[in-house]
PDB file of all heavy atoms in Angstrom:
ATOM      1  N   PRO M 225     -26.529  59.077 -11.602  1.00  0.00           N
ATOM      2  CA  PRO M 225     -26.191  57.648 -12.050  1.00  0.00           C
ATOM      3  C   PRO M 225     -24.800  57.471 -12.891  1.00  0.00           C
ATOM      4  O   PRO M 225     -24.027  56.487 -12.610  1.00  0.00           O
ATOM      5  CB  PRO M 225     -27.326  57.110 -12.709  1.00  0.00           C
ATOM      6  CG  PRO M 225     -28.406  57.966 -12.181  1.00  0.00           C
ATOM      7  CD  PRO M 225     -27.913  59.282 -11.891  1.00  0.00           C
ATOM      8  N   ASP M 226     -24.671  58.398 -13.888  1.00  0.00           N
ATOM      9  CA  ASP M 226     -23.423  58.046 -14.730  1.00  0.00           C
ATOM     10  C   ASP M 226     -22.267  58.803 -14.184  1.00  0.00           C
ATOM     11  O   ASP M 226     -21.215  58.710 -14.761  1.00  0.00           O
ATOM     12  CB  ASP M 226     -23.633  58.254 -16.116  1.00  0.00           C
ATOM     13  CG  ASP M 226     -24.701  59.516 -16.334  1.00  0.00           C
ATOM     14  OD1 ASP M 226     -25.589  59.722 -15.539  1.00  0.00           O
ATOM     15  OD2 ASP M 226     -24.491  60.305 -17.288  1.00  0.00           O
ATOM     16  N   ALA M 227     -22.394  59.463 -13.028  1.00  0.00           N
ATOM     17  CA  ALA M 227     -21.084  60.087 -12.412  1.00  0.00           C
ATOM     18  C   ALA M 227     -20.058  59.110 -11.987  1.00  0.00           C
ATOM     19  O   ALA M 227     -18.936  59.442 -12.014  1.00  0.00           O
ATOM     20  CB  ALA M 227     -21.533  60.934 -11.241  1.00  0.00           C
ATOM     21  N   ALA M 228     -20.548  57.799 -11.760  1.00  0.00           N
ATOM     22  CA  ALA M 228     -19.586  56.800 -11.194  1.00  0.00           C
ATOM     23  C   ALA M 228     -18.609  56.527 -12.315  1.00  0.00           C
ATOM     24  O   ALA M 228     -17.330  56.383 -11.869  1.00  0.00           O
ATOM     25  CB  ALA M 228     -20.367  55.580 -10.803  1.00  0.00           C
ATOM     26  N   LEU M 229     -19.035  56.528 -13.612  1.00  0.00           N
ATOM     27  CA  LEU M 229     -18.047  56.209 -14.621  1.00  0.00           C
ATOM     28  C   LEU M 229     -17.096  57.495 -14.763  1.00  0.00           C
ATOM     29  O   LEU M 229     -15.860  57.155 -14.843  1.00  0.00           O
ATOM     30  CB  LEU M 229     -18.781  56.167 -16.007  1.00  0.00           C
ATOM     31  CG  LEU M 229     -17.945  55.693 -17.214  1.00  0.00           C
ATOM     32  CD1 LEU M 229     -17.326  54.341 -16.928  1.00  0.00           C
ATOM     33  CD2 LEU M 229     -18.615  55.752 -18.456  1.00  0.00           C
ATOM     34  N   ASP M 230     -17.494  58.568 -14.611  1.00  0.00           N
ATOM     35  CA  ASP M 230     -16.537  59.833 -14.587  1.00  0.00           C
ATOM     36  C   ASP M 230     -15.581  59.598 -13.441  1.00  0.00           C
ATOM     37  O   ASP M 230     -14.367  59.939 -13.711  1.00  0.00           O
ATOM     38  CB  ASP M 230     -17.423  60.977 -14.341  1.00  0.00           C
ATOM     39  CG  ASP M 230     -17.522  61.839 -15.565  1.00  0.00           C
ATOM     40  OD1 ASP M 230     -17.150  61.288 -16.727  1.00  0.00           O
ATOM     41  OD2 ASP M 230     -17.978  63.095 -15.619  1.00  0.00           O
ATOM     42  N   MET M 231     -16.056  59.193 -12.391  1.00  0.00           N
ATOM     43  CA  MET M 231     -15.067  59.026 -11.234  1.00  0.00           C
ATOM     44  C   MET M 231     -14.233  57.941 -11.451  1.00  0.00           C
ATOM     45  O   MET M 231     -13.007  58.105 -11.050  1.00  0.00           O
ATOM     46  CB  MET M 231     -15.983  58.890  -9.903  1.00  0.00           C
ATOM     47  CG  MET M 231     -16.788  60.080  -9.519  1.00  0.00           C
ATOM     48  SD  MET M 231     -17.649  59.665  -8.066  1.00  0.00           S
ATOM     49  CE  MET M 231     -18.780  61.105  -7.990  1.00  0.00           C
ATOM     50  N   PHE M 232     -14.754  56.828 -12.105  1.00  0.00           N
ATOM     51  CA  PHE M 232     -13.823  55.837 -12.319  1.00  0.00           C
ATOM     52  C   PHE M 232     -12.661  56.383 -13.273  1.00  0.00           C
ATOM     53  O   PHE M 232     -11.526  55.939 -13.163  1.00  0.00           O
ATOM     54  CB  PHE M 232     -14.544  54.682 -12.932  1.00  0.00           C
ATOM     55  CG  PHE M 232     -13.896  53.462 -13.422  1.00  0.00           C
ATOM     56  CD1 PHE M 232     -13.327  52.652 -12.332  1.00  0.00           C
ATOM     57  CD2 PHE M 232     -13.537  53.189 -14.755  1.00  0.00           C
ATOM     58  CE1 PHE M 232     -12.556  51.489 -12.801  1.00  0.00           C
ATOM     59  CE2 PHE M 232     -12.782  52.192 -15.135  1.00  0.00           C
ATOM     60  CZ  PHE M 232     -12.206  51.263 -14.087  1.00  0.00           C
ATOM     61  N   MET M 233     -13.095  57.134 -14.389  1.00  0.00           N
ATOM     62  CA  MET M 233     -12.126  57.538 -15.261  1.00  0.00           C
ATOM     63  C   MET M 233     -11.218  58.612 -14.704  1.00  0.00           C
ATOM     64  O   MET M 233     -10.050  58.708 -14.939  1.00  0.00           O
ATOM     65  CB  MET M 233     -12.738  58.194 -16.532  1.00  0.00           C
ATOM     66  CG  MET M 233     -13.673  57.169 -17.329  1.00  0.00           C
ATOM     67  SD  MET M 233     -12.769  55.737 -17.900  1.00  0.00           S
ATOM     68  CE  MET M 233     -11.834  56.464 -19.068  1.00  0.00           C
ATOM     69  N   GLY M 234     -11.754  59.393 -13.780  1.00  0.00           N
ATOM     70  CA  GLY M 234     -10.872  60.315 -12.956  1.00  0.00           C
ATOM     71  C   GLY M 234     -10.897  61.764 -13.437  1.00  0.00           C
ATOM     72  O   GLY M 234      -9.891  62.541 -13.098  1.00  0.00           O
TER      73      GLY M 234
END
Side-chain angles (χ1 to χ4, degrees):
Chain M
D226 36 327
L229 182 64
D230 256 12
M231 291 176 193
F232 179 73
M233 299 303 287

